[in-house]
Amino acid sequence: MNVAVCVKHAIDEGELRADPSGRPQLQGAQAKMSTFDRNAVEEALRVRESKGGTVTVLSLGSPDWKKSLKEALAMGCDRAIALSSPSDLDALATSYYLSRALQQKGPFDLVLLSEGASDTYSGLVGPMIAGWMDAPFIGYARKVQVEGSSVGAEVSLDDKTERVDAALPCVVSVVSEINSPRYPTLLQIMQASKKPMEELSVDSLRDDRAPQVTLKVLDVAAQSVNRKKVIYEGPPEESARKLFDALRKEGVI
Amino acid sequence: MKLFYPEHRRALEVFYEKEADNYSGLLESLAGTLEKEVAPFSATFDANAGGIAKARRLLFEQGLCRMPFEFHGGLSLPFGVYLLAMELAGAADAPTAMSLAIHNTVAEGIFRFGSDDQRKTVFGDLLSGRKLASFSLTEPSSGSDARSMHTTATKEGSHYIIDGTKTFITNAGEAEVYFVLARTEKGPSAFLVESSTPGLSVGADIPKLGMRGSRTAEVRLDGCSVPEGSLVGEDGRGLDYVKSMLNGSRIVMGSICVGIALTSYQKGLAYAKERRLFDKKLSDMQVTREKVANMRSDITSSRVMCLYASRLKDLGSEYASEAAQAKVLSTEMATRVCDQVIQLFGGYGYTNSDVHRHWRDARLLTIGEGASEVLRMLIAAKELGASG
């Protein structure tokens, strides 16, 4: 069972600062492995632990992106493939180059990703990779089970959980509830630098199907939430009653 | 709560140049674990006066205690990198860090002075965390004056019979291995006593001002019979070993205090930026800015002193005085910084345990592992010679 897992070196949302106008300061923002991608790596390792084989981690470049690959290697992945790109790519181009790398460096039985990156959260790359590879796609899996030549998954939908089965090779995106990612030990972090990491330029992967980058980010703005700031005046008992009624009306209690 | 800052990376760059990137990666990952799994529970450990076992277990698994040692699963990292790791642990939860630091002091003692057999068995168990260690030196009537200890070890055939009482013992009741100082015919000597040894008993937890998450109790040894193979190193050399072990331990305690101070300082800084008085932010007042500048300088200089002493240790130079200086400077710095943060918070600082617990934690370390007064005597003796 050869598993591939794709990760993104994403902006650390916890460290993101806003300028005085409330606009996120993306320039110089710290980055780390996308939060949910650690769940995808963990699931890949669990599949390997139960079925044997190898786990390969891939990431398509952004500044310092090898840090995320090293973290995945420290968690237990066997090898890494770092795709470098001279310019920013949109989801379509990203999925194209990742699928090309998967085809060149595979074959892989199972490709895992997270439901979406913790910074942009488009959730597009996974299904698009499946499209490029002409493979089935299962999205939002909360449980993954490989049996023989197929994969079964419990999928979280808005109001229910559904069981989906597909033939391997298959692309699966997982939700964060699927597992608790392991913490690499200090020894594993030290050993990770000795594991193989191959660097590939996206130029070396291009064929005549290569898409143009058509999506441009014009602006990034923070969503502002205005609180109601209601103050209930009067004696304590009366204002407590008003607060209770209001909370009950909102469905909070 | 964030624990790894650019200042840590800069310190690594200054002290370890080419390896700084690798060491930063290690510490950043450790910080990530501490941020998620230890720091969020620190206030609860303080409130409940206990509960650090799970956090300590996690840090054993991470390999924190393996960092400064070679062989038997050690990671052979410079002592300064271990210090910064202990600073991060201290910033996340000081009692957990202190418990592990004392455990590792015993591990160092066994590694440096123990027999091959003790290194192969007990040392390996301590590094992996299969066993927890406790350092049993202080007695009810002899704290800093260890020479006047009353605990005895009497040779009977192939065994020693140990009798006496130790007090203020960290990890007591949880440890599987007690590193005990007892007087033989040849003088103070070091022994490893298993917790299961008949005659070893642990008193009730001693309530403390701070460091409440860790356990502290009396350890009583009543006719404890241990095989002669339990003797660490040479008979009668125990106090020499302990002095040497405490040099490294003192720098670690200094680093834990740097961590305590940094956490307290960050809380104070955040509060000063939010709190408004007299129509302006606390952080815009000159008197606050002076406090911030003093606290910032205090923290940085203490960290540098700890790293300097650790480099001397790694280089094999004499460093007893520098270790004492690092501990005096850092522990007193931490009480000063945490006190200033309480002042910044005003009434909320005095009444909110999540603010004042840092001062309470730091306060222990000007006393334990060599009180400031004793360490000043040691520093001055090096400068002026022994006093008449």
Side-chain angles (χ1 to χ4, degrees), chain B residues 198-217:
Chain B
L200 187 148
S201 62
V202 175
D205 285 359
I206 300 169
K208 305 190 291 286
L209 175 71
M211 292 287 190
R212 289 180 177 172
S214 69
R215 291 181 66 179
T216 306

Side-chain angles (χ1 to χ4, degrees), chain B residues 244-318:
Chain B
S244 180
M245 288 155 65
L246 285 176
N247 287 335
S249 180
R250 282 170 184 155
I251 323 176
V252 176
M253 294 304 167
S255 286
I256 290 173
C257 275
V258 175
I260 296 171
L262 191 58
T263 293
S264 179
Y265 168 75
Q266 291 294 348
K267 286 181 183 176
L269 210 57
Y271 183 75
K273 287 178 189 170
E274 294 287 327
R275 175 73 162 159
R276 293 189 72 84
L277 284 171
F278 308 111
D279 288 333
K280 57 168 140 176
K281 285 182 183 171
L282 202 53
S283 59
D284 287 336
M285 294 179 178
Q286 188 64 28
V287 69
T288 306
R289 288 176 168 253
E290 186 187 351
K291 278 190 175 62
V292 168
N294 288 342
M295 290 192 286
R296 182 65 269 180
S297 312
D298 256 359
I299 293 168
T300 307
S301 56
S302 294
R303 180 188 294 125
V304 170
M305 185 68 218
C306 289
L307 288 172
Y308 171 64
S310 79
R311 279 298 281 162
L312 292 176
K313 176 175 162 62
D314 278 339
L315 294 170
S317 304
E318 171 58 40

Side-chain angles (χ1 to χ4, degrees), chain A residues 1-251:
Chain A
M1 172 65 54
N2 290 324
V3 184
V5 57
C6 302
V7 301
K8 179 179 180 183
H9 194 62
I11 288 168
D12 185 346
E13 67 278 13
E15 291 299 315
L16 197 57
R17 297 283 173 266
D19 66 17
S21 69
R23 205 160 288 273
Q25 293 179 307
L26 300 178
Q27 205 99 39
Q30 292 190 42
K32 58 166 191 171
M33 190 197 295
S34 171
T35 309
F36 313 127
D37 288 355
R38 298 181 72 240
N39 298 97
V41 173
E42 176 64 35
E43 200 56 29
L45 297 173
R46 290 185 187 194
V47 170
R48 184 193 63 188
E49 280 158 12
S50 67
K51 300 291 172 188
T54 61
V55 175
T56 302
V57 58
L58 298 93
S59 185
L60 199 150
S62 54
D64 267 349
W65 83 117
K66 286 183 184 171
K67 279 177 79 174
S68 285
L69 289 171
K70 279 186 189 166
E71 187 181 344
L73 290 174
M75 286 174 76
C77 293
D78 300 288
R79 64 170 177 149
I81 297 172
L83 304 186
S84 60
S85 166
S87 56
D88 288 343
L89 302 178
D90 59 12
L92 186 65
T94 299
S95 63
Y96 166 76
Y97 289 113
L98 283 170
S99 68
R100 292 284 295 160
L102 288 163
Q103 283 163 333
Q104 270 196 19
K105 299 295 169 185
F108 294 103
D109 304 294
L110 182 64
V111 178
L112 290 168
L113 303 95
S114 66
E115 59 183 282
S118 51
D119 55 357
T120 51
Y121 199 73
S122 74
L124 294 172
V125 172
M128 284 179 172
I129 287 176
W132 289 111
M133 294 177 72
D134 202 18
F137 173 75
I138 301 175
Y140 305 100
R142 54 185 292 172
K143 191 174 177 185
V144 171
Q145 208 163 9
V146 176
E147 288 297 340
S149 59
S150 67
V151 57
E154 268 182 26
V155 174
S156 291
L157 300 175
D158 280 347
D159 54 349
K160 60 179 178 178
T161 301
E162 201 170 77
R163 163 89 186 188
V164 180
D165 291 278
L168 295 174
C170 180
V171 181
V172 179
S173 79
V174 302
V175 295
S176 57
E177 294 78 31
I178 194 168
N179 55 41
S180 297
R182 66 195 67 187
Y183 294 107
T185 67
L186 297 174
L187 180 63
Q188 287 171 323
I189 297 166
M190 289 167 75
Q191 288 171 336
S193 56
K194 293 175 188 149
K195 289 186 176 178
M197 186 183 299
E198 186 180 353
E199 190 165 340
L200 280 178
S201 159
V202 293
D203 292 335
S204 70
L205 296 167
R206 189 173 290 129
D207 69 2
D208 53 8
R209 292 197 304 164
Q212 296 293 315
V213 175
T214 52
L215 191 70
K216 282 186 182 166
V217 177
L218 301 177
D219 197 7
V220 177
Q223 187 182 9
S224 65
V225 179
N226 288 322
R227 294 182 181 279
K228 291 183 181 171
K229 295 177 183 170
V230 179
I231 296 173
Y232 296 102
E233 308 275 4
E237 276 186 23
E238 187 186 321
S239 47
R241 168 57 58 187
K242 286 179 186 168
L243 175 63
F244 178 78
D245 290 343
L247 289 173
R248 194 156 62 177
K249 199 175 164 190
E250 294 281 341

